[in-house]
């Protein structure tokens, strides 16, 4: 029987640890701080972890590998990504692609068959492991590649996916998928190929349900295992929303429409005594396509706050009011309601 791509926490919670902060996204943490985050999540029952060469130019992979290797391999799941290759360089900028104090590498795009094989092998060496449970093809959307996006898609279909299939048959990886922020590129790929897994960041959240009408039903029908990332939309849903604090959406200052919508949700939260982060997390988990939510945290306290958000009891009247006020679609599944 094929092993699952993800494992829930030991108490059944469908939460995993995302590795971007472990690669010094936006701000640095030292090795001891990173290890404390991973160890705290493990001690609390977390058994699914995600990383990428992009995250700190190999730093996140190295840190996760060092922390996980001491645990029996069949008790946890780990994913990484392909699409960027790392090249050693003695002098690198302090900040690269929003990561600070990275390892001494620079990155470049490579979706070729040889590049994909090298990427997987390099990741396994940084991790100190012999196999990955899932590999995602990273960031192949038009927003990332601009006019070259169509060429990237052709190469993904003609080279990247076939090579990953060969690596799967060789036993180096178990599941193949995409790791993207754009639901439309997933739909394009699914017209031509099957996927085992998908990591989708930011497109199925309490604030943004762009993936709901067309992609989410496909994932259920085709039994693609979905890991959701970015369920707090890079910060706007992570804490209490107020008009007097800066808010980010998709890693940039939030547009007024998103701010206004978040403020409306906060008002409903206040009426029902509900935490906005708890509502965001539980909404993401309520869709039948969602198998796990990956959380990017910087401390044990942040991990515990997310765990508490998963446990919070939210009254059904809260969800109904969000629907009534048009803040979430009527067809979006809500906690406690059959899909």
């Amino acid at each position: 029987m094929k092993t699952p791509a993800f494992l829930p926490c030991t108490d059944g919670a469908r939460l995993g640890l995302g590795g971007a902060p472990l690669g010094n996204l936006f701000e640095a943490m030292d090795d001891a701080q990173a290890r404390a985050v991973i160890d705290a999540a493990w001690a609390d029952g977390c058994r699914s972890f995600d990383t990428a060469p992009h995250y700190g130019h190999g730093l996140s992979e190295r840190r996760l590998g060092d922390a996980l290797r001491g645990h029996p391999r069949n008790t946890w799941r780990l994913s990484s990504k392909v699409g960027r290759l790392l090249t050693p360089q003695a002098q690198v900028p302090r900040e690269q692609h929003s990561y600070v104090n990275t390892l001494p590498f620079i990155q470049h795009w490579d979706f070729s068959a040889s590049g994909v094989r090298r990427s997987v092998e390099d990741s396994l060496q940084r991790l100190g492991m012999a196999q990955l449970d899932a590999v995602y093809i990273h960031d192949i959307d038009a927003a990332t590649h601009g006019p070259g996006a169509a060429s990237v898609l052709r190469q993904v279909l003609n080279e990247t996916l076939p090579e990953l299939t060969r690596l799967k048959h060789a036993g180096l990886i178990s599941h193949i998928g995409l790791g993207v922020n754009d639901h439309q590129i997933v739909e394009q790929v699914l017209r031509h190929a099957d996927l085992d897994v998908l990591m989708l960041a930011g497109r199925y959240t309490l604030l943004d349900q762009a993936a709901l009408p067309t992609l989410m039903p496909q994932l259920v029908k085709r039994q693609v295992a979905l890991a959701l990332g970015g369920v707090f939309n890079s910060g706007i849903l992570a804490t209490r929303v107020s008009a007097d604090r800066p808010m980010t959406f998709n890693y940039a200052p939030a547009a007024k429409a998103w701010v206004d919508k978040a403020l409306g949700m906060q008002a409903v939260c206040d009426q029902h005594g509900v935490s906005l982060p708890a509502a965001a997390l539980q909404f993401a988990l309520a869709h039948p396509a969602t198998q796990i939510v990956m959380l990017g945290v910087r401390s044990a306290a942040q991990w515990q706050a997310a765990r508490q958000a998963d446990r919070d009891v939210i009254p059904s009247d809260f969800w109904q009011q969000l629907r009534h006020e048009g803040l979430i679609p009527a067809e979006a599944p809500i906690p406690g309601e059959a899909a």
Side-chain angles (χ1 to χ4, degrees):
M1 179 181 293
K2 187 175 183 180
T3 60
F6 318 113
L7 290 177
C9 294
T10 53
D11 64 358
R14 292 176 293 137
L15 302 176
L17 184 66
L22 303 174
N24 293 353
L25 178 63
F26 301 129
E27 60 184 87
M29 64 171 71
D30 61 29
D31 285 347
Q33 291 171 309
R35 182 60 177 264
V37 171
I38 302 166
D39 288 349
W42 178 275
D44 194 47
C46 179
R47 296 297 182 266
S48 290
F49 305 85
D50 176 69
T51 184
H54 178 53
Y55 301 163
H57 296 69
L59 183 59
S60 174
E61 288 183 317
R62 182 179 65 75
R63 286 170 165 173
L64 268 170
D66 289 347
L68 292 176
R69 278 195 305 275
H71 301 291
R73 185 61 182 89
N74 65 345
T75 63
W76 46 269
R77 298 290 183 268
L78 177 64
S79 56
S80 192
K81 304 179 181 73
V82 297
R84 294 173 171 92
L85 286 180
L86 304 180
T87 302
Q89 183 167 298
Q91 299 295 324
V92 296
R94 180 181 180 275
E95 180 178 339
Q96 296 190 75
H97 310 285
S98 299
Y99 290 87
V100 300
N101 295 353
T102 67
L103 294 183
F105 300 93
I106 57 172
Q107 61 174 253
H108 63 273
W109 295 106
D110 193 331
F111 294 98
S112 69
S114 61
V116 165
R117 179 171 287 269
R118 178 187 151 190
S119 181
V120 170
E121 291 173 347
D122 285 356
S123 288
L124 290 171
Q125 288 189 39
R126 284 188 291 268
L127 292 161
M129 296 174 188
Q131 185 186 54
L132 284 159
D133 297 293
V135 167
Y136 302 107
I137 308 168
H138 204 184
D139 291 340
I140 59 173
D141 54 275
T144 301
H145 296 280
S151 176
V152 167
L153 177 59
R154 286 194 298 272
Q155 190 170 33
V156 164
L157 294 173
N158 294 332
E159 290 192 59
T160 312
L161 283 168
E163 184 63 22
L164 287 175
T165 299
R166 286 188 282 270
L167 291 168
K168 183 177 177 180
H169 291 158
L172 273 68
I173 63 179
S174 298
H175 300 80
I176 298 168
L178 305 181
V180 294
N181 301 299
D182 177 9
H183 68 288
Q184 293 178 326
I185 192 63
V186 183
E187 295 182 41
Q188 291 180 53
V189 170
L190 286 174
R191 294 189 192 110
H192 304 281
D194 291 322
L195 300 172
D196 301 317
V197 290
L198 169 67
M199 177 165 287
L200 181 66
R203 301 289 74 79
Y204 190 75
T205 73
L206 187 66
L207 198 59
D208 182 352
Q209 301 90 39
L212 177 64
T214 53
L215 178 60
M216 299 297 269
Q218 281 197 68
L219 300 180
V220 174
K221 181 178 180 180
R222 298 176 69 153
Q223 296 183 313
V224 178
L226 174 64
L228 283 178
V231 298
F232 303 121
N233 284 122
S234 75
I236 193 169
L237 300 178
T239 60
R240 178 180 172 78
V241 174
S242 62
D244 59 354
R245 75 166 175 86
M247 285 176 265
T248 57
F249 177 85
N250 270 14
Y251 311 104
K256 184 177 185 299
W258 295 117
V259 171
D260 290 345
K261 187 176 181 182
L263 286 169
M265 290 177 168
Q266 184 63 64
V268 178
C269 285
D270 291 344
Q271 291 177 45
H272 293 272
V274 169
S275 155
L276 182 60
L281 182 56
Q282 294 186 32
F283 177 84
L285 286 163
H287 198 286
T290 307
Q291 288 207 4
I292 199 165
V293 165
M294 305 302 292
L295 301 166
V297 302
R298 296 186 176 277
S299 67
Q302 288 184 358
W303 171 263
Q304 288 298 335
R307 291 281 270 149
Q308 183 57 52
D310 185 39
R311 298 184 186 104
D312 281 358
V313 177
I314 298 179
S316 60
D317 288 353
F318 166 79
W319 301 110
Q320 297 301 336
Q321 186 172 344
L322 287 182
R323 278 179 171 170
H324 178 72
E325 296 191 12
L327 293 168
I328 58 173
E331 64 272 21
I334 57 176
E337 178 182 74

